[in-house]
Amino acid sequence: MAHAEAADPHRNYPLMAAAKDRVEPAPRRVRGVVDGAVVFDTDRALYVWEWPYYPQYYVPLDDVEERLLVDEGRELRLHLGTARRHGLRVGDVERSQAARVFADDADLGLKSHVRFEWDAMDAWFEEDEQIFVHPRNPYVRVDALRSHRSVRVELDGVVLAESTSPVLVFETGLPTRYYMDRSDVAFEHLEVSATRTRCPYKGITSDYWSVRTPSGLHEDLAWCYDFPTPAVQAITGMVAFYDEKVDVVVDEIPRPRPLTHFG
């Protein structure tokens, strides 16, 4: 009889389900845009997991506007094969080290595929929806579920939020996030922050807050999405806190702080 691994008291959520160097076909139409010009447009991209948490897109060279690529004359010896470094030139816009074009010796079916740096594009699209940070992992599920659990968020003994009608966001590889109505948040302890973050699954945050307690200012502990992606519309305008940095009590049971720290 197989023995289960000892439970990790700091994790009560599933981990990612892909290993490094996994390659899978991506059925979505994927496009990259720079200065209004389409650099590539493909429905034949490959997902390549360079690490377990999420994949990158590798695009067939045939689906790239090659006239926009600038060979920088540098050959890279990578574990997946040989690649040549290329920049991008779109009108007056130039981006160096923007892409790697893989040669004939590439492993895993990556011959004549291009791996673009994410920030080399002004915008990426899956079908007609803009995506942020990295491709959406096909093995990640994100659910925003309404709940009547009681949730209380504290720090240094100060109650920051308390709700009996939260929305719980379950995202593969991350701790549960508890989103609460603004009326359930003690904003007298929060200070507006200029921080904004992007998430492939939820969109762009509209607000961030730091928290002030008797021990001082704790930066960027809470956020909200006023215009989230359609998949998580239920969290619109609600506020969540980093469980890793605050104390969360659910149904009067304190939750251990997770060890991870992602958005």
Side-chain angles (χ1 to χ4, degrees), residues 121-150:
M121 298 294 127
D122 292 339
W124 290 73
F125 294 88
E126 289 180 351
E127 298 299 334
D128 290 332
E129 186 172 315
Q130 187 173 357
I131 58 173
F132 307 101
V133 187
H134 58 74
R136 292 169 178 166
N137 189 337
Y139 302 119
V140 165
R141 185 180 179 96
V142 182
D143 295 305
L145 305 181
R146 297 187 180 278
S147 176
H148 281 97
R149 295 201 202 193
S150 66

Side-chain angles (χ1 to χ4, degrees), residues 52-245:
Y53 299 100
Y54 54 81
Q56 293 291 348
Y57 281 127
Y58 281 55
V59 179
L61 184 59
D62 288 346
D63 294 339
V64 177
E65 287 288 345
E66 289 192 62
R67 61 185 176 82
L68 303 178
L69 292 175
V70 179
D71 190 337
E72 295 180 333
R74 183 182 174 192
E75 194 168 82
L76 306 173
R77 303 288 183 177
L78 307 174
H79 82 283
L80 293 176
T82 305
R84 288 186 70 84
R85 178 75 75 184
H86 286 68
L88 280 172
R89 184 181 295 124
V90 182
D92 295 331
V93 176
E94 294 191 21
R95 306 244 164 102
S96 64
Q97 302 183 43
R100 302 175 219 155
V101 180
F102 280 82
D104 291 351
D105 66 349
D107 291 335
L108 307 177
L110 300 181
K111 170 185 173 181
S112 298
H113 278 71
V114 185
R115 196 283 202 190
F116 288 96
E117 296 297 327
W118 195 267
D119 291 340
M121 298 294 127
D122 292 339
W124 290 73
F125 294 88
E126 289 180 351
E127 298 299 334
D128 290 332
E129 186 172 315
Q130 187 173 357
I131 58 173
F132 307 101
V133 187
H134 58 74
R136 292 169 178 166
N137 189 337
Y139 302 119
V140 165
R141 185 180 179 96
V142 182
D143 295 305
L145 305 181
R146 297 187 180 278
S147 176
H148 281 97
R149 295 201 202 193
S150 66
V151 178
R152 186 169 69 253
V153 177
E154 303 175 349
L155 184 60
D156 296 338
V158 176
V159 176
L160 304 177
E162 193 165 11
S163 177
T164 56
S165 57
V167 170
L168 276 55
V169 173
F170 302 97
E171 182 175 337
T172 307
L174 288 179
T176 304
R177 299 300 189 198
Y178 303 93
Y179 283 77
M180 289 168 275
D181 289 319
R182 289 174 183 250
S183 58
D184 294 328
V185 177
F187 278 99
E188 63 268 26
H189 303 301
L190 275 58
E191 298 184 9
V192 174
S193 165
T195 297
R196 296 293 180 270
T197 59
R198 298 182 175 204
C199 171
Y201 310 103
K202 298 183 288 291
I204 304 173
T205 55
S206 48
D207 293 286
Y208 248 87
W209 295 271
S210 298
V211 171
R212 188 173 294 279
T213 69
S215 69
L217 185 68
H218 306 267
E219 294 185 353
D220 295 337
L221 296 194
W223 67 88
C224 80
Y225 294 89
D226 283 341
F227 305 99
T229 59
V232 291
Q233 283 291 316
I235 67 171
T236 299
M238 303 182 83
V239 179
F241 293 81
Y242 276 116
D243 295 40
E244 298 89 334
K245 296 187 175 183

